[in-house]
Every structure is written in structure tokens, then in C-alpha cells.
Amino acid sequence: MTALSGECSPDILSRLGIGPSYGEKLVTKLKDEGLLKTHYKDRLRGYRLACGGKKLLLAQNPERFSFYLSGNTETNHPRSGYPRRLRLQQASHIYAMLLNAGITFFRDEKPLIFREEPQAGESVRMPLPIFYHSREVKELGTEAVKIGNSRIMGILFAPGCIYALFHTGTAPIKWEYQTELRVKTFLSHHISRGILSRGSIEPCYHPDTPIRLLFIGSGMDTALKLMESTGGFQKSYFCLDSSFDYFHYVPDDAAGETTLRLLCSPALQKALRSLLLSDLEPPCPDYGLEHDAVSEGMPVLLAFDFDMLRLSRFRTALSFHGLAGNLVCFDFQKPVLQQYFGDAAAIETIDLYKFERRFLH
């Protein structure tokens, strides 16, 4: 994680199943051997590779690490400014989530589609789901300049859809509508006419493949801040807009890792939806609002994927039509949705532990 991100958050140790006592001993040992060092500034502590650590990783697996540990890259020579360091540490959190969710991201385990042209007649298979950091996307060269100012952390390719992945931390992220809209335009271009439309890459995405935004943030309380944000002074921070058609949110914790696995698996989503809808009535077009089912005369919205834009539309429609609704979500999502909907919707929950036992084990 330290090599890939440039500076690793100390919190990552627990995310990787390393206990506090053993983690402290492990870090001390790596420091004593000249492989790791601590960087502390502006009350932000992080771990960086020492020269010995870089040499060791480059010697053991150059295909995996040379991109990150060679030249004047930000991961090889991290800067000391707080915003840049925070972004590097957020990247380490993302990599930990991807690892625990079983998503491919190491460079020696995936095709480098943004750098290498497939040979004539050669077929390159993408082991979906698969993640490319924004720095890897920039290997396209001048074409990637179009999204150079975006806050995007990377692109997550999943079966049937593509996620533009952002880390928002504990508060709404800085946001410029036109800049982030270019990310969607950039991906749409490559789906229809660019690298993702080539017959030599499998699977190819069709032109109408959904491009979704996926926020990762610190806890579910951050989701409420995002949904209620108006953009702040001068509209320089995130608020729900039309730059993307979907705005999903997952917390930066174990529950978020499970949700991430679900979002990357159409088969899992279909199975869960079928189970939840089995005891409900079909949607009623007379309600004049978006919903998935009807229960005791009230519209029901399945909210386990936590699409903030869809949730916002549902709340607005309930208020406009003077209706009460039902939400179905995971248990860890309920407190935030209770605050957001108030008395406008009753909430039924899916036990996350039981879901994992039934669908993931």
C-alpha cells in the first residue's frame, strides 16, 4: 500500500487484519531495517518507503512497482503539502478497500490498456472488476489532459458499468461541475470510439454502458453531508448535480468493502433485489414517482446501493405528492437515511452480517 500510494495511512494496518500490538512491532522492525520511515507534519502522520524499501520492492517485483518507484513521480518523491499528502493517504485507503473486496489493481495482474496498444489479432482480457489509478489513466498522454484537473482517484471497471471513483474524506469534496463532467465525457468517448471500444479488448463496453460516480468517505455521516450540501460559498464544493446519472456512496470501512463487492457484481445485485421484491407488489405507475415496488399502498425504494441522486429524487417526489414511502437498506445505512427522510419514509433493514453469510461465503 505504501509503494502504490506514496504515503500510507497508519489506519491501514487494522484494515489489513494486523492488530495494534503486532502492527507496532512490525513498523518498528521495518524502520530498523531501513525499509520504512514515518513522516509527520501538520498533525498528519503517515508511512513512506525508505530507500532500502524501494530497492527491495524493485528488485523483487519490478513489473508491479517500477511505475510507482521510478523517476520524479509523486509516489516516489511525495511532497510535503497537506492536501497532497492527504490525497496520497486516501489512495492507500482505496487500495486497502480494493484488496479486501477482491478487486484487481496491481499492474502485473492487469492489462495496461492506457499505455499499450494490443498487437494485431491479439485479444486482451480485463479481469473484471479492475481498477486503474488516475496516474495510470494519464499514460494516454495529451488526451488525458482533458481530465487533468479532476478530483478523480481512479476508474473502476465492473461488469456492465464503469465507476469514476472519488474519495471525499469527512466533508464534501472540492467540485467543479464542468471539470468532472469532462470525466464522464472522456469515458463515454472511449466506450464508443476509444480504447474500450476495440474488438481486441474483452469485455468491450457498449456505447450506452452506465458511467456511475462512486464516492468513498469516512463513515456514513459524510453521506448526509454530501446529500445536504449546497456547494458552499461560491459553489466550490460538491452538491448533487447532473454531471453523472448515478452518485453512489460507500463508507471507508468493512461495511463499505462489502457494499463495494455488491456494486461490482450484477449477479449479486439481481439476487438481492429478487429476494427483497419477492414479498412486495409491483410498482404502481399512478404514483408518478420512481420506485421499485409497493407495500401496503406505499411506494418502496430499494436503497442498498445508496445512490444519493435517486434518494434525493425519491424524497423530493414524496414531498411533492404528499406521500409516505418505504426504504429498504442495509442496517449501517439506516441512521443516515432516518435523518435525511425524517417522517417521510419508514425504513426496513437488511442485516449486513446475514447478507454476507448468505451471499458471500
Side-chain angles (χ1 to χ4, degrees):
M1 300 301 116
T2 308
L4 272 60
S5 62
E7 180 170 323
C8 186
S9 167
D11 298 334
I12 295 303
L13 291 173
S14 61
R15 298 289 295 278
L16 299 178
I18 301 174
S21 177
Y22 178 69
E24 185 176 347
K25 293 177 182 177
L26 179 62
V27 169
T28 300
K29 184 174 185 294
L30 292 174
K31 288 181 180 179
D32 291 342
E33 294 177 354
L35 303 177
L36 195 71
K37 59 185 178 181
T38 298
H39 188 84
Y40 183 81
K41 185 181 179 182
D42 299 324
R43 294 187 293 181
L44 182 64
R45 185 183 304 276
Y47 299 130
R48 295 182 176 183
L49 286 178
C51 289
K54 294 178 183 179
K55 291 178 181 178
L56 178 64
L57 292 177
L58 287 172
Q60 290 184 341
N61 197 335
E63 289 186 5
R64 176 171 295 186
F65 296 112
S66 60
F67 176 78
Y68 307 98
L69 301 178
S70 301
N72 191 29
T73 60
E74 194 162 26
T75 48
N76 191 31
H77 297 288
R79 301 183 186 181
S80 296
Y82 181 85
R84 289 185 177 274
R85 290 185 58 216
L86 183 61
R87 183 172 170 85
L88 295 179
Q89 292 202 17
Q90 288 173 344
S92 71
H93 278 264
I94 288 174
Y95 282 126
M97 287 191 73
L98 296 172
L99 181 68
N100 291 338
I103 296 172
T104 302
F105 59 88
F106 288 120
R107 283 176 69 83
D108 58 322
E109 296 178 352
K110 65 186 180 185
L112 305 180
I113 60 173
F114 295 103
R115 188 185 73 178
E116 299 173 348
E117 287 277 353
Q119 299 293 325
E122 180 185 11
S123 179
V124 176
R125 184 155 191 84
M126 295 175 64
L128 302 180
I130 186 171
F131 175 79
Y132 292 85
H133 190 274
S134 58
R135 284 190 58 242
E136 295 179 280
V137 178
K138 291 176 182 177
E139 289 186 292
L140 274 173
T142 55
E143 192 175 347
V145 173
K146 301 172 185 176
I147 60 171
N149 293 325
S150 171
R151 305 290 296 177
I152 190 172
M153 297 294 288
I155 300 172
L156 174 57
F157 295 98
C161 71
I162 298 173
Y163 293 101
L165 198 152
F166 294 76
H167 199 298
T168 188
T170 59
I173 193 174
K174 283 193 173 182
W175 191 260
E176 207 286 310
Y177 171 80
Q178 291 296 335
T179 299
E180 306 309 342
L181 181 61
R182 282 196 288 271
V183 173
K184 182 181 176 182
T185 304
F186 171 84
L187 290 171
S188 297
H189 165 75
H190 282 288
I191 289 172
S192 59
R193 296 183 296 278
I195 58 174
L196 299 173
S197 65
R198 299 170 183 156
S200 55
I201 292 182
E202 300 178 5
C204 282
Y205 288 97
H206 51 78
D208 57 347
T209 297
I211 299 172
R212 303 168 179 259
L213 184 145
L214 175 59
F215 270 124
I216 294 174
S218 300
M220 286 304 300
D221 289 341
T222 304
L224 183 62
K225 296 176 185 177
L226 293 176
M227 289 190 289
E228 294 183 338
S229 173
T230 58
F233 182 63
Q234 295 183 338
K235 303 294 182 182
S236 57
Y237 289 88
F238 172 81
C239 64
L240 288 171
D241 56 31
S242 58
S243 54
F244 288 82
D245 298 322
Y246 309 86
F247 288 83
H248 299 279
Y249 180 89
V250 298
D252 186 3
D253 55 24
E257 292 164 4
T258 297
T259 311
L260 187 58
R261 292 179 65 178
L262 177 62
L263 290 176
C264 290
S265 174
L268 267 181
Q269 294 180 54
K270 182 179 179 180
L272 181 57
R273 287 179 63 89
S274 297
L275 178 64
L276 296 174
L277 295 175
S278 59
D279 295 329
L280 300 175
E281 301 171 32
C284 177
D286 294 338
Y287 285 149
L289 53 79
E290 181 181 7
H291 60 294
D292 298 302
V294 173
S295 176
E296 298 180 354
M298 292 190 295
V300 178
L301 190 77
L302 301 185
F304 58 80
D305 63 352
F306 216 91
D307 180 354
M308 296 185 292
L309 192 58
R310 194 167 187 244
L311 289 166
S312 175
R313 289 197 301 263
F314 190 60
R315 187 179 75 161
T316 300
L318 290 177
S319 176
F320 179 78
H321 293 285
L323 296 173
N326 277 337
L327 295 168
V328 182
C329 64
F330 284 115
D331 45 14
F332 70 90
Q333 299 167 334
K334 180 178 179 179
V336 164
L337 290 177
Q338 280 182 321
Q339 294 182 65
Y340 187 63
F341 278 86
D343 296 331
I347 301 177
E348 297 182 25
T349 61
I350 308 161
D351 187 295
L352 182 67
Y353 175 73
K354 291 181 179 178
F355 167 78
E356 292 173 337
R357 287 281 303 272
R358 177 164 183 167
F359 290 98
L360 301 181
H361 297 296

